Amino acid sequence: MPNRVLKDSIKRSPQIDSLTWFEEVVFYRLIVTADDYGCLDGRIILLKNELFPAKENITKKAIEDAISKLVSVGLLHKYEVSGMPYLFFPTWEKHQRIRNKHRKFPEPPMESLTANCGRMTADCQSESESE
């Protein structure tokens, strides 16, 4: 399992504050599940099993709703490649170190990266501001 860094500025994020406790837990569990490029398989049943392997009472609908909220506030983005759903964190490279040279999942389309990243950077401190 990869190690991830969470900066203390996350506690003051308006996007994080807009989440319910469950949506926030899903967000953190997605962070530790994502590949080194911030991408994940977007199939809900796989996410449910990966994010909450020991919790039988968590439903696919609850996961789907939480992901929809994360997308709506700009913390996560959906994309599709060859009919398969994927997710990615639009500001991943700003906050995480990329160690692997090869992707585990297909790269998000360029238009997805540029369409959402501008919205995200307005609420996030730069690395130098948070250190």
Side-chain angles (χ1 to χ4, degrees):
M1 189 60 62
N3 292 323
R4 301 292 179 222
V5 174
L6 292 177
K7 298 175 184 171
D8 68 342
S9 60
I10 200 166
K11 297 180 294 187
R12 294 178 296 281
S13 165
Q15 292 158 309
I16 296 294
D17 285 344
S18 73
L19 304 176
T20 66
W21 71 268
F22 180 73
E23 293 161 349
E24 190 170 345
V25 168
V26 168
F27 177 70
Y28 297 135
R29 289 185 181 215
L30 286 169
I31 289 173
V32 298
T33 304
D35 71 4
D36 265 358
Y37 290 85
C39 297
L40 305 109
D41 190 309
R43 292 177 285 179
I44 298 300
I45 188 65
L46 295 182
L47 288 171
K48 184 227 175 284
N49 294 334
E50 183 72 26
L51 300 178
F52 298 98
K55 303 248 187 239
E56 294 179 14
N57 62 336
I58 304 292
T59 65
K60 291 187 302 184
K61 173 89 168 99
I63 301 294
E64 192 169 25
D65 290 348
I67 287 171
S68 292
K69 175 64 179 237
L70 294 171
V71 169
S72 75
V73 300
L75 291 169
L76 198 60
H77 186 73
K78 293 180 179 183
Y79 68 105
E80 202 171 285
V81 175
S82 301
M84 292 292 294
Y86 297 96
L87 302 169
F88 80 95
F89 292 92
T91 61
W92 186 263
E93 290 183 16
K94 182 178 177 182
H95 301 287
Q96 301 297 325
R97 181 172 294 146
I98 296 176
R99 294 177 294 269
N100 286 330
K101 294 186 189 312
H102 303 286
R103 292 179 165 276
K104 186 174 178 182
F105 302 104
E107 185 172 5
M110 250 345 238
E111 63 272 7
S112 297
L113 295 171
T114 57
N116 288 300
C117 289
R119 177 168 118 193
M120 286 293 297
T121 56
D123 291 335
C124 297
Q125 291 179 322
S126 70
E127 209 167 305
S128 60
E129 290 174 308
S130 65
E131 293 182 341

